[in-house]
């Protein structure tokens, strides 16, 4: 493709990733951009979905990240308690982000931090009654937003996409 080539209009291109690939092909035709058709969209879609989730949860006064932590504690069942390490293994946060989130949640009395009664060296994070009420209310909104995000896909397409994403996420090596 020549440098002077004019890209198709956005609606003809499809999306931002198509534009990115067009630009790279024009500027560096030696690069194979095919993988960006998937990876670029996954990265872009992840950011969009996170933003949509946070916007949907605004009425519950909880962020996507904070709900993820609270929901993790809720879904493990009574006594709704994990160590910080166990919690980190179940959510997608860095240790610094986890500490900041736990501080926010504790300040709002949505979690308690304590010491394991069986081993005083082990710290724990527990869901409070107030935290459980918030999760049980907000999770309906979260699931409804996730359903809406997938509404362009048929049930079979959604299942196929889930299987393909699982294959990418958990491939060997």
């Amino acid at each position: 493709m020549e440098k002077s080539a004019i890209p198709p209009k956005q609606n003809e291109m499809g999306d931002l990733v198509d534009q990115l690939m067009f630009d790279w092909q024009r500027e560096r035709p030696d690069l194979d951009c095919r993988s960006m058709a998937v990876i670029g969209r996954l990265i872009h879609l992840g950011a969009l979905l996170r933003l949509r989730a946070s916007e949907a949860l605004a009425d519950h006064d909880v962020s996507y990240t904070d709900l993820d932590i609270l929901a993790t504690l809720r879904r493990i069942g009574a006594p709704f308690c994990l160590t910080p390490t166990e919690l980190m293994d179940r959510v997608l946060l860095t240790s610094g982000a986890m500490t900041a989130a736990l501080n926010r949640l504790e300040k709002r009395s949505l979690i308690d931090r304590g010491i394991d009664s069986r081993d005083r060296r082990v710290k724990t994070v527990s869901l409070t009654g107030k935290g459980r009420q918030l999760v049980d209310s907000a999770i309906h909104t979260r699931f409804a937003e996730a359903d809406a995000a997938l509404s362009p896909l048929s049930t079979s397409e959604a299942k196929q996409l889930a299987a393909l994403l699982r294959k990418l996420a958990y491939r060997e090596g």
Side-chain angles (χ1 to χ4, degrees):
M1 201 178 290
E2 299 176 12
K3 268 194 152 200
S4 62
I6 299 171
K9 293 180 181 164
Q10 187 68 18
N11 59 357
E12 294 171 12
M13 284 299 287
D15 65 9
L16 178 65
V17 175
D18 286 326
Q19 182 66 50
L20 172 149
M21 292 169 51
F22 177 87
D23 293 343
W24 277 118
Q25 185 60 43
R26 181 191 66 233
E27 294 298 316
R28 292 282 311 272
D30 59 304
L31 293 175
D32 182 355
C33 297
R34 289 177 294 181
S35 61
M36 289 305 294
V38 174
I39 302 304
R41 283 187 179 90
L42 286 173
I43 291 168
H44 183 65
L45 184 60
L48 289 175
L49 291 174
R50 185 175 277 247
L51 178 63
R52 281 181 57 149
S54 288
E55 288 172 353
L57 293 167
D59 288 344
H60 297 280
D61 193 29
V62 66
S63 70
Y64 169 81
T65 301
D66 289 356
L67 181 65
D68 191 20
I69 292 169
L70 296 171
T72 299
L73 291 167
R74 174 65 176 96
R75 74 175 184 256
I76 63 161
F80 313 110
C81 182
L82 292 170
T83 68
T85 301
E86 291 169 331
L87 196 51
M88 273 204 42
D89 289 344
R90 290 173 168 84
V91 296
L92 300 173
L93 293 175
T94 64
S95 62
M98 175 66 78
T99 299
L102 293 178
N103 288 341
R104 279 192 310 274
L105 295 169
E106 185 176 37
K107 190 174 187 175
R108 293 183 59 194
S109 301
L110 300 172
I111 62 160
D112 283 326
R113 289 196 232 181
I115 304 294
D116 189 317
S117 60
R118 296 164 293 175
D119 186 344
R120 308 232 0 110
R121 298 169 294 175
V122 177
K123 295 180 181 183
T124 60
V125 178
S126 303
L127 190 62
T128 64
K130 182 179 175 183
R132 184 174 173 186
Q133 286 177 338
L134 176 61
V135 172
D136 287 346
S137 170
I139 205 65
H140 292 290
T141 300
R142 176 69 188 104
F143 276 57
E145 189 283 320
D147 287 343
L150 289 181
S151 66
L153 303 179
S154 69
T155 301
S156 122
E157 288 171 329
K159 285 180 183 178
Q160 183 180 16
L161 179 59
L164 292 170
L165 292 172
R166 183 181 307 109
K167 185 176 182 177
L168 277 178
Y170 300 105
R171 70 176 195 265
E172 296 290 325

